[in-house]
Amino acid sequence: MKIICIGRNYIAHANELNNPLPTEPIFFLKPETALIRAGLPFFYPDFSSDIHYEVEFVVRICKLGKHIQEKFAHKYYKEFSVGIDFTARDLQENCKQKGLPWEISKAFDSSAPVGEFINKSEFSDINDIDFSLEINGNTVQKGNTGMMIFSVNKIISYVSSFLTLKIGDLIFTGTPAGVGPIKRNDNLSAYLQNRKLLEVNVR
Ligand code: MG
């Protein structure tokens, strides 16, 4: 499986990092080794001193597809969750300045913890789902899927015009404003609506 991550999909987040707004979805990949098994901690890596959290709404692909039309995209997912797109912001800034690929800052081991999945039938509208992140009990990020520049269906249509989506692939749909650094011993909890689906400790 692969993890497809969308960048700059919320206006306020693009602004906070001084990035221009995209006219088409921007995506990059993380490998399967970016997942963290439930209950295991995130070990702060030696190669960075500025790891940031980015809480994101996550969709799991349930059907093989390529060149999926936006109007049929809803048939390709049945479950939602929240995840954290851990980012080595110091390495990413360096890559951006040099015009290099981002992988060392985004695709490293354990960079994509994902919560428990919930069936989409439990939500009345995919374009109005709240999600949030707490660190040590304080809410640091709040988003709503209705604030995305590119909807889930648009993302699926766009991404599948370049690469085949397979069962089990995950799409991280971008982070709202409020990203910031983590430190050792932080406790991170991510919520969909008011349900806590993910908890990660930093070691
Ligand atoms: Mg992200």
Side-chain angles (χ1 to χ4, degrees), residues 6 54 56 85 106 175:
I6 306 300
E54 296 187 356
E56 309 199 2
D85 168 18
K106 286 285 197 181
T175 196

Side-chain angles (χ1 to χ4, degrees), residues 28 48 51 59-60 76 92 96-97 122 160 163 177:
F28 55 91
S48 173
I51 300 285
V59 176
R60 178 146 69 189
Y76 289 79
Q92 188 193 31
K96 280 164 72 175
Q97 277 173 22
E122 295 193 31
S160 73
L163 40 98

Side-chain angles (χ1 to χ4, degrees), residues 36 40-45 109-110 201-203:
I36 301 183
L40 292 183
F42 173 78
F43 292 100
Y44 204 110
D109 285 356
S110 303
N201 291 303
V202 182
R203 295 285 178 253

Side-chain angles (χ1 to χ4, degrees), residues 13-98:
H13 172 65
N15 289 341
E16 76 181 342
L17 294 184
N18 296 315
N19 288 318
L21 293 181
T23 53
E24 294 285 1
I26 295 170
F27 72 89
F28 55 91
L29 301 179
K30 296 192 188 224
E32 191 170 0
T33 43
L35 296 172
I36 301 183
R37 251 180 255 169
L40 292 183
F42 173 78
F43 292 100
Y44 204 110
D46 292 338
F47 52 74
S48 173
S49 54
D50 195 23
I51 300 285
H52 276 205
Y53 56 80
E54 296 187 356
V55 72
E56 309 199 2
F57 179 70
V58 177
V59 176
R60 178 146 69 189
I61 296 298
C62 65
K63 190 173 162 179
L64 182 81
K66 189 171 168 65
H67 296 300
I68 300 163
Q69 289 181 53
E70 194 173 336
K71 65 182 176 187
F72 298 128
H74 65 276
K75 299 181 176 191
Y76 289 79
Y77 53 85
K78 289 184 197 149
E79 293 174 304
F80 304 142
S81 189
V82 273
I84 301 171
D85 168 18
F86 280 130
T87 303
R89 195 71 73 201
D90 43 0
L91 301 187
Q92 188 193 31
E93 285 303 319
N94 194 32
C95 292
K96 280 164 72 175
Q97 277 173 22
K98 293 179 179 166

